[in-house]
């Protein structure tokens, strides 16, 4: 396994056009505010989505679901304002910065009403504002 790089540098806020359009599915969930998700939060969100999809589609296997987020930040124990010396601390989590306009999830082979129900359920669980796109 490769060694993780410790960094305090924030992810660049340049907007990539490829993150703003649907690539794979028919529906998508797009962020409309800045936020940060840790690896644990993202895994919990995936689990919630899969559980709700299974309930909405009556266990049909043909529903497809993509997660378009990659962890791009390592969180260390010491904060940026700590005094010099004694190192940076160990890595305790990985995170991803979310910018407005990023497509986070995409869905295919799901009806529009089912997708609206799923989005209403998910929007209460996530710590930022999001919109549903077609």
């Amino acid at each position: 396994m490769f060694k993780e790089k410790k960094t305090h540098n924030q992810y660049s806020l340049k907007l990539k056009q490829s993150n703003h359009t649907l690539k794979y599915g028919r529906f998508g969930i797009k962020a409309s505010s800045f936020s940060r998700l840790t690896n644990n939060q993202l895994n919990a969100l995936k689990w919630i989505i899969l559980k709700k999809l299974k309930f909405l589609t009556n266990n049909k296997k043909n529903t497809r679901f993509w997660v378009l987020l990659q962890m791009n930040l390592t969180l260390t124990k010491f904060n940026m304002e700590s005094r010099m010396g004694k190192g940076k601390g160990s890595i305790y989590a990985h995170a991803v910065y979310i910018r407005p306009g990023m497509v986070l999830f995409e869905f295919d082979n799901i009806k529009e009403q089912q997708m609206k129900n799923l989005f209403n359920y998910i929007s209460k669980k996530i710590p930022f504002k999001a919109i549903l796109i077609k």
Side-chain angles (χ1 to χ4, degrees):
M1 188 165 159
F2 60 93
K3 186 172 179 179
E4 301 287 339
K5 277 187 138 184
K6 296 180 187 179
T7 177
H8 281 311
N9 300 336
Q10 292 186 355
Y11 191 66
S12 67
L13 296 178
K14 293 179 183 175
L15 299 176
K16 294 181 182 175
Q17 191 61 31
S18 61
N19 285 353
H20 294 273
T21 57
L22 292 176
K23 295 179 192 174
Y24 307 109
R26 214 175 107 207
F27 298 103
I29 295 178
K30 183 187 272 193
S32 60
S33 65
F34 286 98
S35 183
R36 185 181 80 185
L37 276 181
T38 62
N39 201 12
N40 292 341
Q41 288 174 322
L42 184 61
N43 288 338
L45 194 56
K46 284 183 203 175
W47 186 80
I48 288 169
I49 290 172
L50 288 173
K51 188 175 178 184
K52 191 67 173 177
L53 269 176
K54 190 175 180 183
F55 174 74
L56 286 174
T57 58
N58 297 326
N59 294 330
K60 291 183 180 169
K61 301 287 185 186
N62 59 357
T63 305
R64 300 188 70 190
F65 161 58
W66 292 271
V67 180
L68 303 177
L69 296 174
Q70 291 181 335
M71 299 292 132
N72 56 17
L73 180 72
T74 54
L75 303 177
T76 56
K77 285 190 178 176
F78 292 144
N79 57 3
M80 287 170 57
E81 296 85 23
S82 61
R83 291 187 174 189
M84 290 173 61
K86 301 186 182 108
K88 287 179 72 165
S90 60
I91 295 171
Y92 71 91
H94 296 279
V96 58
Y97 277 116
I98 295 173
R99 303 178 307 273
M102 280 180 69
V103 177
L104 309 174
F105 305 106
E106 291 191 23
F107 302 90
D108 199 14
N109 296 338
I110 185 171
K111 296 177 184 169
E112 189 169 353
Q113 186 60 39
Q114 291 173 338
M115 188 62 214
K116 285 181 182 177
N117 290 342
L118 178 66
F119 176 72
N120 289 337
Y121 182 75
I122 293 170
S123 62
K124 296 171 188 169
K125 304 283 183 186
I126 54 178
F128 52 88
K129 293 180 183 175
I131 56 174
L132 179 65
I133 58 173
K134 295 180 187 176

